[in-house]
Amino acid sequence: MAETAKLLGTKGSPYSHRAEVALRLKEANFEFLHEDLAHKSDMLLRYNPIHKKIPVLVHGEKSIVESLIVVEYVDEAFDGYAILPSDPYERAMARFWARYIDEKVIPAFWMSCWTDGEMQKGFIAQAKETLTTLEGQLKGKKFFGGDSIGFVDLAAGMVAFWFGILQEVAGINLLNEEDYPVLCRWADDYCSIEPVKESLLDRKLLVAHFASKKEKIFATKAPVYD
Amino acid sequence: MASEKGVMLLDFWVSPFGQRARIALAEKGVQYEYKEENLTEKSELLLKANPVHKKIPVLIHDGKPVCESLIIVEYINEVWSDKAPLMPSDPYQKAQARFWADFVDKKVYDCGSRLWKLKGEEQQAAKKEMIEILQLLEAQLGDKKYFGGDSFGFVDVAFVPFTSWFYSYETCANFSVEGVAPKIAQWAKRCMERESVAKTLYDPKKVYEFVCFLKKKFGVE
């Protein structure tokens, strides 16, 4: 389909990031439509009535939602760069680790940032375990995808760029070179890839954004948009 | 696990997640060895095959483990691609199938568990949510034979195991699936006409016995 795709997203969202990088890797024609998540557009609500979240990829008149589903769609609908491997077993592994990032790595880290006391200690212990497990998957490879970035690298974008920012704002030091040398090296390499760089906001801006919302996020344990 | 040739499934009889794998294997006509796990005393094999989550189902194919039920179903579909395609070939239709299977994953089991675990207002809230979930799924099914259209597909495999839990949900929370989502009830009956489903799902009354056992175990009145 030569038609220009539209990506509804925000630069501040690691989920939107996954979809954007996928499109850039494919050198797809797309338009990035910035959503104000405090005032969701009619378009967003029309194309994602069930979850009302970004990213939403609109391709032709069709909409695709849920970041990892969008990435798989982009991989299949557009020619060029292979985001997922072709071997069924390797694909199953990629899907497994992407899901692990979503269900275990991200929630543990997020909650480590926005809790305190005994609760925080518990989440930090979980976060450390999940980061160790994730780092183990790099075992001698440059990227999770091998020599070039793939599905799991995109899924782990939040780890590469956002984790450092969140922990700085929260005042904790979980992901550091001393404890996770391989993961930190991967993070630098990932963020240096051109399509990834093009999709990332200036770090200072993102730090300022989260710092300004810190108290509200701490209170709700959820991202805050207004 | 030695690199033994063949297919093995580590599973637990009543698990709807395990049943997804069993149904997919049956649809594809794959011969496999079924191993029932004691979830209170997990086997060495399970702990080795799924060290991250230590959960069933795990498919072990030629010695290599695949975990997470929907990932297993996609794997089965991709490896045994010569028969009974469970996914459409069009990327957009695939994305739709993945979305709805993911919706079932995120919503049905959790909400269903709350129906039998909770009482009073909390149970009423769960009941309201379950009705909404069933009606959303019904709208998605529409007048199609299956969620996959004319052919039994990914979303059907993802959701059908939960149909044997309907009786438990209805009994615990006092409502009727047929009453709130008649097309879903009819779809469930159609699925039971398929050998893969009929031979995999347990009688709803047996599932209810299991739910009662769980309720006792968790101290729910």
Side-chain angles (χ1 to χ4, degrees):
Chain A
M1 208 184 289
E3 228 178 294
T4 301
K6 294 183 180 37
L7 178 66
L8 280 73
T10 69
K11 288 294 193 177
S13 159
Y15 301 99
S16 179
H17 165 85
R18 293 166 172 177
E20 187 182 346
V21 177
L23 287 162
R24 288 187 185 282
L25 285 169
K26 294 286 192 181
E27 296 177 1
N29 277 329
F30 76 100
E31 200 187 329
F32 193 105
L33 299 177
H34 288 88
E35 272 292 322
D36 171 3
L37 293 175
H39 303 96
K40 292 178 178 178
S41 70
D42 284 341
M43 195 177 182
L44 172 58
L45 299 175
R46 183 166 81 243
Y47 284 118
N48 191 0
I50 290 178
H51 299 307
K52 306 177 175 54
K53 288 177 167 181
I54 52 96
V56 179
L57 181 69
V58 182
H59 196 200
E61 262 312 295
K62 301 167 174 171
S63 67
I64 301 100
V65 307
E66 294 295 288
S67 62
L68 295 178
I69 294 177
V70 173
V71 174
E72 285 219 48
Y73 171 80
V74 169
D75 198 34
E76 288 158 10
F78 294 86
D79 292 328
Y81 195 98
I83 299 173
L84 273 113
S86 51
D87 172 68
Y89 185 73
E90 295 305 321
R91 290 162 73 81
M93 290 298 102
R95 287 172 178 142
F96 176 87
W97 288 107
R99 202 177 162 126
Y100 180 76
I101 288 163
D102 263 357
E103 292 182 358
K104 302 286 179 188
V105 179
I106 291 175
F109 196 92
W110 177 264
M111 291 304 274
S112 297
C113 291
W114 314 116
T115 51
D116 54 12
E118 282 309 305
M119 209 180 246
Q120 186 184 39
K121 284 193 188 143
F123 284 120
I124 286 178
Q126 268 181 48
K128 284 186 171 171
E129 206 185 300
T130 61
L131 286 170
T132 301
T133 302
L134 185 64
E135 188 179 53
Q137 283 310 297
L138 277 166
K139 38 182 184 230
K141 296 184 295 191
K142 183 166 190 201
F143 298 109
F144 291 101
D147 292 328
S148 47
I149 63 171
F151 193 60
V152 181
D153 299 276
L154 266 62
M158 188 172 180
V159 178
F161 191 68
W162 277 262
F163 274 20
I165 291 165
L166 292 174
Q167 68 181 16
E168 186 181 315
V169 171
I172 59 171
N173 181 19
L174 260 178
L175 180 60
N176 56 66
E177 269 181 45
E178 200 189 316
D179 295 331
Y180 301 100
V182 177
L183 201 53
C184 287
R185 188 271 312 148
W186 162 82
D188 284 339
D189 287 343
Y190 174 77
C191 291
S192 317
I193 301 279
E194 217 37 61
V196 172
K197 252 184 5 202
E198 284 165 15
S199 82
L200 292 176
L201 256 186
D202 185 85
R203 194 183 189 277
K204 286 197 288 292
L205 279 175
L206 216 42
V207 171
H209 165 80
F210 279 105
S212 71
K213 310 269 181 238
K214 186 176 170 177
E215 265 166 48
K216 273 191 181 169
I217 301 177
F218 200 93
T220 61
K221 317 294 181 222
V224 170
Y225 305 116
D226 50 11
Chain B
M1 299 148 297
S3 285
E4 271 180 40
K5 285 279 170 204
V7 185
M8 187 185 232
L9 183 68
L10 309 183
D11 203 347
F12 181 66
W13 68 280
V14 74
S15 161
F17 304 101
Q19 287 171 332
R20 289 167 168 175
R22 282 177 252 165
I23 290 168
L25 287 164
E27 286 285 324
K28 298 284 188 177
V30 177
Q31 297 298 313
Y32 67 99
E33 189 189 332
Y34 178 94
K35 187 179 181 300
E36 179 74 6
E37 281 287 330
N38 175 356
L39 297 181
T40 56
E41 220 182 293
K42 293 174 180 178
S43 72
E44 282 276 333
L45 180 59
L46 174 58
L47 298 176
K48 201 165 157 211
N50 191 357
V52 175
H53 300 302
K54 305 174 175 54
K55 285 179 165 181
I56 56 92
V58 181
L59 185 79
I60 306 179
H61 184 202
D62 294 345
K64 296 196 289 193
V66 182
C67 310
E68 297 293 295
S69 62
L70 293 180
I71 294 176
I72 292 172
V73 174
E74 284 221 56
Y75 175 80
I76 290 168
N77 188 52
E78 287 169 14
V79 171
W80 290 279
S81 52
D82 51 329
K83 122 176 223 208
L86 295 173
M87 274 290 204
S89 49
D90 171 66
Y92 175 68
Q93 296 301 333
K94 266 197 207 167
Q96 285 296 91
R98 287 178 182 134
F99 174 86
W100 286 103
D102 177 65
F103 178 83
V104 171
D105 242 15
K106 284 188 165 99
K107 303 281 187 183
V108 178
Y109 183 74
D110 272 356
C111 188
S113 299
R114 279 185 281 134
L115 284 178
W116 62 259
K117 273 187 187 162
L118 304 173
K119 290 274 149 190
E121 260 180 56
E122 284 182 310
Q123 192 192 46
Q124 287 305 305
K127 173 175 156 180
K128 183 166 178 278
E129 202 187 316
M130 180 55 87
I131 292 172
E132 272 165 27
I133 290 167
L134 290 169
Q135 290 176 340
L136 267 168
L137 285 163
E138 184 178 57
Q140 183 55 27
L141 176 66
D143 292 317
K144 302 197 299 282
K145 185 177 182 190
Y146 299 115
F147 284 94
D150 288 328
S151 34
F152 188 73
F154 193 59
V155 183
D156 302 281
V157 174
F159 186 33
V160 79
F162 293 97
T163 60
S164 57
W165 293 69
F166 284 174
Y167 176 74
S168 301
Y169 299 157
E170 290 168 330
T171 308
C172 293
N174 191 26
F175 74 104
S176 151
V177 172
E178 182 141 22
V180 306
K183 289 182 178 169
I184 293 290
Q186 286 152 27
W187 161 83
K189 288 198 182 106
R190 279 198 293 279
C191 289
M192 281 300 284
E193 290 166 13
R194 298 186 79 80
E195 203 181 333
S196 64
V197 177
K199 286 197 165 169
T200 301
L201 299 195
Y202 283 91
D203 188 290
K205 301 247 162 84
K206 195 152 166 78
V207 175
Y208 182 64
E209 255 175 53
F210 179 74
V211 170
C212 291
F213 159 75
L214 286 177
K215 279 169 78 143
K216 235 169 135 183
K217 188 173 165 186
F218 288 101
V220 182
E221 292 276 297

